[in-house]
């Protein structure tokens, strides 16, 4: 199975600070069809996960544009440009290129 | 708007089975696959499998073959997951999530396996 390694496991930030989360894959996530199925989720405390970014860099409808995704192959990054209080929670990367789909271990974003 | 309404919490005994439901609304049920995901504190998020509501076709994580069975009822726009031969290791929160990009999630269903 593809292993997704997220760093850091915990991230402390102040409101307005910009932060980045890394997701590294044990295999290239470039599918034979040319697409890369690497997505980012946020799970707020007590809630279900929600989709933020899909296919590396595409912003899900309704998600603020302070969120952005980048990367290719095995290295991917989620950036939040100006953290807001509502952004606190656990961020997960997930890949759907190789079966079975797998998730990263999560990065907990907390207030400093 | 798209909504996935899951059935409630379950407390079940080891060796028994449980069937969870996920009722979809706000979109054409047969137009999107449905995933099932397991969440535990120890193992994090694990993908169980996916079903095509239109055809009934399924794909499972090998780890959950024989444990989980995915079905749908198109008449009620509901997806189901049956978990069999339950052990304490099956205690978790189970989510349904829509489509190949998981763009909508149910609220989760807690399953506790205990004698």
């Amino acid at each position: 199975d593809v292993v997704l390694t997220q760093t850091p496991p915990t991230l402390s930030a102040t409101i307005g600070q910009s932060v980045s989360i890394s997701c590294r894959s044990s295999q290239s996530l470039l599918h034979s069809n040319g697409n890369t199925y690497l997505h980012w989720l946020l799970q707020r405390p007590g809630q279900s996960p929600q989709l933020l970014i899909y296919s590396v860099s595409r912003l899900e409808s309704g998600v603020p544009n302070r969120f952005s995704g980048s990367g290719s192959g095995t290295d991917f990054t989620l950036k939040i440009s100006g953290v807001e209080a509502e952004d606190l929670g656990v961020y997960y990367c997930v890949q759907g290129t190789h079966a079975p789909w797998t998730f990263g271990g999560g990065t907990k974003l907390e207030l400093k | 708007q798209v909504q996935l309404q899951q059935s409630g919490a379950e407390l079940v005994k080891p060796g028994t089975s449980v069937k969870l439901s996920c009722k979809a609304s706000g979109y054409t049920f047969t137009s999107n696959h449905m995933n099932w995901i397991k969440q535990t504190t120890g193992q994090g998020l694990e993908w169980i499998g996916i079903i095509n509501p239109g055809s009934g076709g399924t794909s499972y994580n090998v780890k959950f073959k024989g444990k989980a069975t995915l079905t749908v009822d198109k008449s009620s726009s509901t997806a189901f997951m049956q978990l069999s031969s339950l052990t304490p290791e099956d205690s978790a929160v189970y989510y349904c999530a829509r489509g190949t990009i998981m763009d909508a999630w149910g609220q989760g269903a807690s399953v506790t396996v205990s004698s």
Side-chain angles (χ1 to χ4, degrees), chain A residues 21-36:
Chain A
I21 299 169
S22 170
C23 177
R24 288 192 167 176
S25 174
S26 60
Q27 301 177 36
S28 173
L29 299 184
L30 177 63
H31 195 277
S32 56
N33 65 12
N35 294 320
T36 300

Side-chain angles (χ1 to χ4, degrees), chain A residues 41-110:
Chain A
L41 309 170
L42 165 61
Q43 186 171 31
R44 296 187 174 99
Q47 296 187 16
S48 306
Q50 67 171 99
L51 179 67
L52 297 175
I53 301 277
Y54 64 97
S55 300
V56 181
S57 59
R58 300 186 178 191
L59 196 66
E60 169 67 351
S61 176
V63 174
N65 60 11
R66 62 180 178 273
F67 291 94
S68 62
S70 63
S72 63
T74 61
D75 288 347
F76 303 90
T77 301
L78 174 71
K79 182 177 181 179
I80 310 173
S81 300
V83 169
E84 298 193 6
E86 65 180 18
D87 301 338
L88 304 184
V90 181
Y91 290 80
Y92 296 96
C93 53
V94 52
Q95 68 84 23
T97 297
H98 304 287
W101 299 2
T102 51
F103 295 82
T107 295
K108 184 176 183 180
L109 178 61
E110 55 188 25

Side-chain angles (χ1 to χ4, degrees), chain B residues 38-105:
Chain B
K38 177 182 182 182
Q39 185 170 35
T40 58
T41 304
Q43 297 297 318
L45 293 162
E46 296 179 278
W47 180 75
I48 296 170
I50 191 169
I51 185 165
N52 179 334
S55 66
T58 55
S59 178
Y60 292 92
N61 185 336
V62 168
K63 178 178 179 179
F64 294 95
K65 274 190 175 178
K67 171 63 65 178
T69 303
L70 306 185
T71 57
V72 297
D73 175 8
K74 287 189 281 188
S75 68
S76 63
S77 298
T78 303
F80 299 93
M81 177 174 67
Q82 180 160 322
L83 299 170
S84 61
S85 304
L86 291 165
T87 72
E89 287 67 42
D90 297 314
S91 297
V93 175
Y94 292 89
Y95 293 99
C96 55
R98 186 182 78 152
T100 54
I101 61 172
M102 301 182 190
D103 63 355
W105 290 63

